[in-house]
Amino acid sequence: MSYETVLVWMLSLNREYSQAEYDTAYQLCKLCFPGDWKYEFKNPDSFRMLMTQLLPVLMMRHRRVPRARWQDHVTQTGKHWIEHLQSDQPGRQRQPCIGYQLTYCNSLCGMAVTQGLPAQVVNIGLGIKQMKVEPKGITIPLYLESLSHKLTQLEISNIVNNPDEIILKRLCIMLALKDSYIKAIGQPVGFDYSRLEFDMVARTAKGDGLPLNGWEFRIFTAKLGVARGTILKSEDYECVCAYYRGTPTDPPSIVIQTKTQEIENWVQFINIDQLMTVSNKLAA
């Protein structure tokens, strides 16, 4: 699996949403993914979930594949992959399957995508962590201490003894790294984060003490301008895309990308307005 086959779509919830926009997203999700969708207009998490769920539909529309020509599959571990339905045109080559993983964090919704065989494409995950402390108002050292059970001693040693801003950034990267891998392998909530160890100095990654051979982790920062009422806020997120390259003899790779041009080669950013502009075409 080459680097070029991995893409990330990021949707910025850059402003408040209206009931009409919620209703549009809700009806589209019911139509494109039949199931028991709960209607909760006043719940921001519900809107985040609906908008995130529409990302694969938007992607397939972008590829000019009608909704009737693809089918969404789910593995026993909850990993999703898309199958192109057989074309009626004789001699047309069958398209590769598309694996994707969805996640969201506050104002940022994301989807990591790759393509190939069904058994390969499900090995992809996306971790997103906003650079802020929770609950609001506590100090960064206390925030680190509250999450220390998710880290190994080596990881903690690579984070502490730095200015608060660096501590917060490294902590968020570490949590996003672990989230991306846990989601890539389809592990449920409750997975012990301390079983994973990422050494950002030596650029190594281990699970249960063994190297995560064949895995690549791409780290980047997303900076958003978000309107909340009449106030415009700046929000920073540490993001990690994890995927298995299908090369078990290769050591794990950790890549930090900071140049805009590098990131734009495989990460696409959109916002609420851009999705809503094409919403009437998504179910076609």
Side-chain angles (χ1 to χ4, degrees), residues 179-218:
D179 274 343
S180 69
Y181 178 74
I182 291 169
K183 291 172 180 177
I185 61 175
Q187 288 297 311
V189 175
F191 184 89
D192 184 357
Y193 279 57
S194 65
R195 291 173 57 186
L196 305 175
E197 182 173 79
F198 292 89
D199 187 344
M200 296 301 294
V201 177
R203 298 292 174 92
T204 61
K206 295 180 180 180
D208 294 328
L210 300 175
L212 299 178
N213 286 343
W215 285 89
E216 178 153 321
F217 301 87
R218 292 192 167 267

Side-chain angles (χ1 to χ4, degrees), residues 68-282:
R69 301 303 308 167
W70 59 272
Q71 185 174 355
D72 190 71
H73 295 273
V74 188
T75 69
Q76 289 184 343
T77 56
K79 300 308 301 292
H80 286 259
W81 61 278
I82 290 172
E83 176 188 17
H84 291 80
L85 300 181
Q86 193 65 38
S87 172
D88 296 331
Q89 300 178 18
R92 185 163 183 176
Q93 186 176 3
R94 194 174 188 88
Q95 296 295 311
C97 297
I98 299 172
Y100 69 91
Q101 195 269 311
L102 306 174
T103 191
Y104 60 83
C105 177
N106 298 329
S107 304
L108 189 59
C109 309
M111 173 180 68
V113 181
T114 190
Q115 62 182 21
L117 299 174
Q120 298 171 331
V121 298
V122 294
N123 297 315
I124 189 163
L126 183 65
I128 304 175
K129 188 68 179 176
Q130 185 178 359
M131 283 187 57
K132 70 171 188 176
V133 298
E134 296 176 304
K136 185 177 179 180
I138 69 168
T139 65
I140 289 176
L142 278 177
Y143 183 53
L144 171 61
E145 183 179 347
S146 71
L147 294 168
S148 61
H149 63 284
K150 295 186 174 184
L151 307 173
T152 68
Q153 286 303 311
L154 174 64
E155 291 168 340
I156 293 173
S157 69
N158 286 339
I159 294 174
V160 297
N161 299 323
N162 283 292
D164 279 0
E165 183 178 344
I166 301 299
I167 289 175
L168 182 59
K169 184 178 181 68
R170 291 187 178 181
L171 173 60
C172 291
I173 289 175
M174 198 64 60
L175 295 175
L177 276 164
K178 298 192 179 198
D179 274 343
S180 69
Y181 178 74
I182 291 169
K183 291 172 180 177
I185 61 175
Q187 288 297 311
V189 175
F191 184 89
D192 184 357
Y193 279 57
S194 65
R195 291 173 57 186
L196 305 175
E197 182 173 79
F198 292 89
D199 187 344
M200 296 301 294
V201 177
R203 298 292 174 92
T204 61
K206 295 180 180 180
D208 294 328
L210 300 175
L212 299 178
N213 286 343
W215 285 89
E216 178 153 321
F217 301 87
R218 292 192 167 267
I219 304 169
F220 63 98
T221 301
K223 296 180 179 291
L224 308 183
V226 179
R228 293 291 176 255
T230 58
I231 301 174
L232 182 64
K233 295 183 177 181
S234 176
E235 296 180 357
D236 290 352
Y237 295 81
E238 295 301 334
C239 310
V240 180
C241 177
Y243 65 101
Y244 185 64
R245 299 190 306 268
T247 50
T249 58
D250 287 351
S253 173
I254 299 177
V255 180
I256 301 177
Q257 294 196 323
T258 57
K259 295 181 179 178
T260 301
Q261 185 174 357
E262 287 180 340
I263 297 171
E264 288 178 347
N265 285 335
W266 63 290
V267 182
Q268 179 172 345
F269 287 88
I270 60 173
N271 58 34
I272 296 176
D273 291 331
Q274 289 170 309
L275 190 148
M276 286 297 163
T277 297
V278 298
S279 61
N280 62 335
K281 301 177 181 178
L282 293 186

